[in-house]
Amino acid sequence: MKKTVSRIINNIILPLLGFVLVYFIWDYFAGSDVMPSFMMPSPKKVWEAFLNDRELLFEHATVTLKEAFLGLFIGVLLGFVLAVLMDNFKVIYRILYPLVIVTQTIPTIAIAPLLILWFGYEMKPKIILIVLTTFFPLVINLLEGFKSVDSDYIKLLKSMGAGKLKIFWHIKLPSSLGSFFAGLKIAVAYAIVGGVISEWLGGQKGLGVLMTRMRKSFAYDRMFSIILFVSVISLILMALVVLIKWLVMPWERKKITNE
């Protein structure tokens, strides 16, 4: 009973208190001498703007989500393949690992205009940008997961005549699932943010395009509603990843239950 109450307090009540605190701080400063109302609209005005624009927001969100899911799918596939190759072949690891790191040192906002210039204003440059931002956490986390496998398990399977494929399927893959889902949670958030950033630079539809239009028209209450909407979408997708992890990894459920 005590464990259940403690879990509810830590996982539900305390996070809610954090959101409530942010709400009251925001509401207090909105429209004050510190921050004029036209620059920081109150939560009430942002909520009203969301309700008024909800159909428009959902229409543009479908475009951003389509870009995000396509880019995320390719990023996950690319990250998984690279991690497996780098784990199995030291030469490939030494060649690719520095390149993987370098891809993350280039600011997203700097490379986005080049992609638009090279590939136009359609969906292709946006998907490429999302792939570049999502594959990195998956590669790094999977590599760490593969390396964390107990070497005694691998030696045991080798002594029983198991090859690399069986070792990967029975030992490395299950052991790295926790790391994979940790990377996927980050990648999901990056996918939405990457899609919005790429849309800032051009396009006909998408939440980033809509945000740019609202900013240029000084409709900051509507712009804030888009920002919060993007945050909510990211949180929902991250929660979906947690749910998938819960379903795929039954041993994790037992561990949480026993705590």
Side-chain angles (χ1 to χ4, degrees), residues 29-41:
F29 282 105
S32 66
D33 294 334
V34 178
M35 191 66 67
S37 59
F38 73 92
M39 292 182 64
M40 181 181 279

Side-chain angles (χ1 to χ4, degrees), residues 86-155:
M86 290 163 70
D87 181 65
N88 283 281
F89 303 100
K90 289 184 178 180
V91 174
I92 294 178
Y93 177 87
R94 287 168 183 163
I95 293 172
L96 292 183
Y97 190 78
L99 295 175
V100 170
I101 298 298
V102 167
T103 61
Q104 302 307 301
T105 62
I106 304 170
T108 305
I109 197 68
I111 197 172
L114 293 174
L115 293 175
I116 297 291
L117 181 66
W118 294 336
F119 300 104
Y121 289 93
E122 298 302 321
M123 195 173 286
K124 188 186 293 183
K126 300 173 178 65
I127 291 173
I128 293 172
L129 186 68
I130 293 167
V131 171
L132 290 174
T133 56
T134 55
F135 87 98
F136 177 77
L138 289 162
V139 171
I140 299 300
N141 280 48
L142 276 172
L143 282 174
E144 291 299 321
F146 293 152
K147 288 178 181 177
S148 66
V149 176
D150 193 334
S151 59
D152 289 338
Y153 291 145
I154 297 175
K155 290 176 183 176

Side-chain angles (χ1 to χ4, degrees), residues 69-88:
F69 282 128
L70 284 171
L72 181 64
F73 175 77
I74 298 170
V76 169
L77 191 63
L78 178 64
F80 184 82
V81 171
L82 285 177
V84 171
L85 289 174
M86 290 163 70
D87 181 65
N88 283 281

